[in-house]
Amino acid sequence: MRDLLDRARAAAEDAYAPYSEYAVGAALQTADGSIYTGCNVENANYSNSLHAEEVALGAAVRDGHREFDRVAVSSAARDGVTPCGMCRQSFAEFCDDAFVVVCEGDADPVEYRLGELLPAAISGEMVSDG
């Protein structure tokens, strides 16, 4: 768990955050143990900004991964940031409620489950015709 959080911390160092000055990094572990990292990439039009978790998830999906074990998220402020609602929903597309989310804690990492962070995720069944 600490290794994954260290990878998220390192990814935050690559963030492009000139507007918020709030660098975030994520490290996503796939079911086969591969690790994908991402950092936030801001845009003057905030709605076009990319979140660290999205960058990591997009890279993993691009490479064919569809099953994930855990993600670690860290900000340069080391303030216990958790994924935002949009990123939580993105994980819910591929992960069940038991998916592990690791974040900074006061002394030790804090572990959450996706289901507790997003108890009523939108599912494919909710939007399909079938």
Side-chain angles (χ1 to χ4, degrees), residues 97-112:
D97 287 349
F99 178 70
V100 176
V101 180
V102 179
C103 303
E104 301 282 352
D106 289 335
D108 294 311
V110 178
E111 188 175 297
Y112 300 95

Side-chain angles (χ1 to χ4, degrees), residues 36-41 50-60:
Y36 286 82
T37 60
C39 62
N40 56 322
V41 181
L50 300 173
H51 297 195
E53 300 91 331
E54 291 178 291
V55 173
L57 182 61

Side-chain angles (χ1 to χ4, degrees), residues 44-67:
N45 173 356
Y46 278 109
S47 66
N48 289 357
S49 296
L50 300 173
H51 297 195
E53 300 91 331
E54 291 178 291
V55 173
L57 182 61
V61 169
R62 176 204 63 218
D63 285 352
H65 296 280
R66 300 293 186 272
E67 296 179 14

Side-chain angles (χ1 to χ4, degrees), residues 67-87:
E67 296 179 14
F68 305 96
D69 287 341
R70 64 186 60 231
V71 67
V73 181
S74 179
S75 73
R78 305 287 198 276
D79 58 1
V81 66
T82 62
C84 73
M86 181 178 70
C87 291

